[in-house]
């Protein structure tokens, strides 16, 4: 029999996971990716909360409806000329009393390169299985719940909202451009059509999925040299060495996550 | 037994039972903890009134120094030493091979085995004692006794949720075959008091019992059964 | 690039000057903002013939390498013709500085019988004034139409071909306030002035 058997039931595991989610804090990442025909630079952050734990023997902890709150900020730049057609002001003629008839030349507008910043915050829920993973690295024992497999993230609604946000952001950026007025709506529509929901999903999925697929919740973390009693002068600290740890889900009249710990003096 | 009831008994009970968290310290683990405590802090098992009480251990830091027993006419008092070996604990049920009567390892209790070494600095007659050369006047006399004891555990709670300690109380000991019986009774009482006090210095934090797993607020325990010391609680 | 400031000409502007006296006009193109420079290099010429004219002659300004060039670099006109400078979209802000037998001229300082046009690209109220002496000022109200409305869109397309004239004589602008749509061109014709600018008042430090 191991030196210590520590067990936690599903109710306790729920609390444990909530604490582990909070301890995970805010995850951040950045990079670049495809937004339809454009290249976007992005930064994103995510936090996790909620979910209910279902312990399934022999080694599965199923977390249902875990909520990932995220913020994605991205910018993409392009030559507006590639989106909207050339636009030219016609020749304008007036009669100037002391000069005579004067005509300006046809003026073709040079659309600039624009950079559109978009930021979007929302959440998505997912259900995933986790397996306990016991490691001893750098003199520290850890038991992590590591996600198994890639859960499907339902990002459709978020993509639809982001397309709207892109349109609004584009309108804001384009509005001050001289002579854009008559073609502003066309330009915004062309931008959102070029990207499309598929383009947004193509950017959003690869951004958010790694936050989920890389999830590890730490449910146990102790140094291998485990302090029983702290030093209290004139007495030294009292330590034992944790020599082995195993983790599994055990099913009896209820399901429990069980850690077996061995140590030596 | 009706079939359904019989089948129900075949389904094992969970470890946590009605609480969220269970921490079970096996008696082998308990003995490792005691070994760790008393190895790091040997002065908790070694008491003497004078360095004239010889070791082992040799280091003065491994001893707790106490006053000599004052007695009129005994210059400097009676020099003494009491030492215990690291107790070996056995949680109920008995797996030590049996206890000497009248000791019985009841439910929820532990037994322990240790040796006590009593040392007396035997002095010369009054008047021949040379205070400038006390070594010439005293001679350590040593007796080593095996003893078995029984006891129970307690939980001491602190104000901070989840913070507390498990302590060990010695209820009775048995030293076999000392005559006359009155002397055995006297020594058993004396040594029980000393052992209870020495073992009372061991205060194991709840987190030590769980090896640091699942911080919890204690709801039930310590309960001693199935060779384990068990704590039950809810996640903080 | 579409700032209302005659001191710096861009592709939404033109600068015109009527040359009434026969002779040779030499000029150069300088990038704006214009600083005080000795007039030692006037590479472009306008030969004003004696015969009477009254036509418009166009000169296109563009960037060739690092230098501003006029196309055509040598121009022959009749006396009384208007020379109208305009640039391409990629040309930086510039000014025209030259001299004739009648004296020197500078597009960044409008004098008699000169013209400055500006196509307004962004809706808003533009209070303009002379940046040098604040001698003359006016307002151009630039409105917009709903391009999604087909009727308004047609109206707007037709309006683009119509110009609005403001005549400046001394310290008076007539009319002092005009209203146009985004995309329309205002012609600021200077009939008499000592050297003024047409500058958005917000560009001038208080």
């Amino acid at each position: 029999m191991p030196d210590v058997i520590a067990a936690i039931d599903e109710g306790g595991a729920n609390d444990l996971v909530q604490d582990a989610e909070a301890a995970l804090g805010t995850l951040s990442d950045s990079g670049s990716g495809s937004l339809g025909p454009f290249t976007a630079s992005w930064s994103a952050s995510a936090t996790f909360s909620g979910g209910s734990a279902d312990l399934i023997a022999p080694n599965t902890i199923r977390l249902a409806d875990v909520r990932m709150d995220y913020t994605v900020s991205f910018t993409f730049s392009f030559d507006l000329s590639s989106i909207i057609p050339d636009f030219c002001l016609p020749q304008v003629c007036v009669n100037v009393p002391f000069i005579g008839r004067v005509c300006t030349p046809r003026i073709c507008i040079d659309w600039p390169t624009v950079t559109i910043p978009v930021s979007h915050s929302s959440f998505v829920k997912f259900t995933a299985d986790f397996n306990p993973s016991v490691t001893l690295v750098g003199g520290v024992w850890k038991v992590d719940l590591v996600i198994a497999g890639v859960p499907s993230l339902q990002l459709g609604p978020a993509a639809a909202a982001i397309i709207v946000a892109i349109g609004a952001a584009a309108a804001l950026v384009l509005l001050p451009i001289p002579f854009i007025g008559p073609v502003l709506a066309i330009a915004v529509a062309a931008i959102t059509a070029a990207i499309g929901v598929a383009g947004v999903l193509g950017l959003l999925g690869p951004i958010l999925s790694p936050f989920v697929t890389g999830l590890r919740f730490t449910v146990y973390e102790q140094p291998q040299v485990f302090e029983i009693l702290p030093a209290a002068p004139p007495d030294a600290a009292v330590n034992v060495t944790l020599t082995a740890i195993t983790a599994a889900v055990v099913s009896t009249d209820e399901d429990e996550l069980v850690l077996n710990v061995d140590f030596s003096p | 037994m009706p079939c359904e009831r019989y089948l129900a008994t075949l389904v094992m009970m969970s470890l946590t039972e009605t609480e969220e968290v269970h921490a079970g310290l096996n008696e082998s683990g308990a003995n490792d903890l005691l070994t760790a405590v008393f190895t790091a802090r040997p002065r908790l098992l070694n008491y003497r009134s004078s360095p004239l009480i010889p070791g082992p251990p040799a280091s003065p830091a491994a001893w707790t120094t106490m006053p000599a027993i004052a007695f009129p006419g005994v210059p400097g008092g009676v020099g003494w030493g009491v030492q215990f070996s690291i107790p070996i604990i056995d949680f109920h049920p008995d797996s030590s091979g049996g206890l000497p009567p009248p000791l019985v390892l009841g439910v929820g209790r532990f037994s322990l085995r240790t040796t006590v070494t009593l040392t007396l600095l035997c002095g010369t007659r009054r008047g021949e004692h040379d205070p400038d050369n006390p070594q010439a006047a005293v001679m350590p006399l040593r007796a080593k006794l095996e003893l078995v004891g029984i006891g129970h555990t307690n939980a001491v709670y602190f104000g901070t949720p989840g913070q507390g300690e498990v302590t060990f109380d010695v209820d009775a000991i048995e030293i076999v075959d000392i005559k006359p019986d009155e002397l055995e009774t006297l020594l058993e009482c004396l040594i029980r008091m000393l052992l209870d006090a020495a073992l009372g210095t061991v205060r194991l934090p709840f987190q030590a019992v769980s090896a640091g797993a699942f911080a919890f607020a204690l709801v039930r325990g310590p309960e001693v059964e199935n060779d384990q010391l068990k704590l039950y609680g809810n996640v903080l | 690039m579409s700032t209302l400031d005659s001191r710096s000409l861009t592709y939404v502007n033109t600068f015109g000057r009527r040359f009434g006296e026969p002779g040779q006009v030499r000029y150069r193109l300088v990038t704006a903002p214009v600083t005080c420079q000795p007039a030692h290099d006037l590479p472009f010429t306008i030969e004003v013939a004696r015969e009477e004219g009254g036509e418009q002659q166009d000169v296109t300004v563009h960037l060739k390498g690092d230098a501003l060039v006029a196309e055509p670099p040598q121009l022959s006109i009749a006396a009384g013709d208007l020379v109208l400078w305009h640039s391409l979209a990629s040309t930086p802000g510039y000014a025209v500085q030259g001299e004739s037998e009648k004296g020197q001229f500078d597009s960044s300082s409008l004098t008699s019988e000169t013209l400055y046009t500006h196509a307004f690209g962004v809706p808003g109220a533009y209070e303009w004034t002379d940046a040098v002496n604040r001698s003359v000022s006016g307002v151009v109200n630039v409105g917009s139409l709903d391009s999604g409305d087909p009727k308004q869109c047609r109206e707007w397309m037709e309006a683009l071909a119509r110009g609005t004239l403001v005549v400046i004589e001394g310290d008076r602008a007539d009319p002092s306030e005009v209203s146009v749509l985004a995309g329309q061109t205002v012609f600021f014709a200077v009939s008499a002035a000592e050297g003024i600018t047409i500058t958005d008042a917000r560009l001038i430090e208080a």
Side-chain angles (χ1 to χ4, degrees), chain A residues 1-13 15-16 19 219-222 226-240 242 245 250-259 261-265, chain B residues 11-33 35-41 43-44 165 201-205 207-215 226-228 235-236:
Chain A
M1 185 179 278
D3 290 329
V4 166
I5 300 176
I8 191 164
D9 67 6
E10 280 182 351
D15 294 337
L16 203 66
D19 292 343
V219 295
Y220 178 88
E221 183 173 0
Q222 294 293 345
F226 180 67
E227 184 179 272
I228 301 296
L229 297 171
D235 294 321
V238 180
N239 301 314
V240 294
L242 305 180
I245 296 179
V250 175
S251 185
T252 54
D253 60 343
E254 59 177 331
D255 303 312
E256 297 167 318
L257 174 64
V258 180
L259 304 188
V261 182
D262 280 311
F263 51 79
S264 60
Chain B
V11 175
M12 290 171 60
M13 275 280 284
S14 66
L15 294 170
T16 57
E17 296 180 11
T18 56
E19 280 67 44
E20 290 179 342
V21 176
H22 157 100
L25 176 67
N26 183 267
E27 58 196 14
S28 65
N31 283 318
D32 284 344
L33 293 182
T35 300
V37 171
F38 291 124
T39 303
R41 301 176 178 184
R43 72 176 187 87
L44 301 180
E165 296 170 334
T201 61
V202 177
R203 304 168 75 90
L204 296 180
Q207 285 299 296
V209 175
S210 68
F214 311 145
N226 299 327
D227 295 327
Q228 293 178 285
V235 175
L236 284 173

Side-chain angles (χ1 to χ4, degrees), chain B residues 156-165 205-207 216-218 236:
Chain B
V156 178
Y157 305 89
F158 300 150
T160 307
Q163 300 293 314
E165 296 170 334
F206 293 160
Q207 285 299 296
F216 58 93
L218 189 71
L236 284 173

Side-chain angles (χ1 to χ4, degrees), chain C residues 20-105:
Chain C
E21 298 293 328
Q24 187 187 59
V25 176
R26 294 165 61 232
Y27 71 94
R28 65 181 177 180
L29 301 169
V30 296
T31 52
V34 177
T35 55
C36 186
Q37 301 172 34
H40 60 275
D41 185 14
L42 305 171
F44 308 109
T45 58
I46 303 172
E47 298 292 341
V48 185
R50 291 187 180 280
E51 69 214 54
E52 297 282 318
E55 302 294 318
Q56 175 179 321
Q57 308 293 339
D58 290 346
V59 174
T60 304
V61 177
H62 62 95
L63 210 56
K64 191 171 182 180
D66 290 337
L68 289 167
V69 295
E71 186 62 43
Q74 284 86 40
L75 183 64
S76 295
I77 64 172
D81 278 354
L82 175 81
V83 177
L84 193 74
W85 284 268
H86 67 92
S87 63
L88 301 180
S90 55
T91 309
Y94 69 97
V96 184
Q97 294 178 330
E99 60 187 26
S100 65
E101 290 173 24
K102 204 176 173 187
Q104 293 180 330
F105 65 92

